[in-house]
Amino acid sequence: GNLDISLEYVPFKYLNQLGPGFYNLRTQFKVYGGILDLGNHMSFLRLKSGRFLAIDAVDPIGTAAEGSGGQDLKAEIDRLTEGGRLIEAVVATHPFHTLG
């Protein structure tokens, strides 16, 4: 027969689950005309309410995750957060992350 695979059980390719309810992703962050890649990251922490606190920020389309084409990364964030509806708040811990 046919397998019914729910997206809920499809593993993420770019979001890394580092612990229960804690996800992290890494992206490129190039400076000096693209010569130097400092890297950037963003994390999602699931709250008791089931919603997420986003820690730091990246541009999921304008910067490529390691091995990502941008749209794939945004699709994973959207799947985790139901298109952003489950994001309770975003905390940018320092100005460097607001450039990403």
Side-chain angles (χ1 to χ4, degrees):
N2 293 336
L3 291 176
D4 182 16
I5 300 174
S6 169
L7 285 179
E8 182 179 344
Y9 300 106
V10 175
F12 293 115
K13 183 174 180 181
Y14 307 108
L15 284 166
N16 299 303
Q17 187 169 6
L18 302 178
F22 187 78
Y23 299 84
N24 180 266
L25 62 92
R26 298 202 168 276
T27 64
Q28 296 175 344
F29 182 66
K30 293 187 177 184
V31 295
Y32 299 114
I35 296 171
L36 180 62
D37 183 5
L38 298 177
N40 204 352
H41 66 94
M42 182 174 188
S43 298
F44 297 90
L45 176 64
R46 187 179 294 273
L47 305 171
K48 285 184 180 181
S49 66
R51 298 173 64 85
F52 286 92
L53 171 66
I55 305 167
D56 296 324
V58 301
D59 177 357
I61 296 174
T63 58
E66 296 171 0
S68 167
Q71 291 291 340
D72 297 335
L73 176 57
K74 182 175 181 330
E76 285 194 3
I77 293 170
D78 286 347
R79 185 161 54 103
L80 178 70
T81 66
E82 292 184 8
R85 289 183 294 280
L86 294 181
I87 295 177
E88 182 76 25
V90 178
V91 176
T93 58
H94 51 80
F96 175 77
H97 289 285
T98 63
L99 299 175

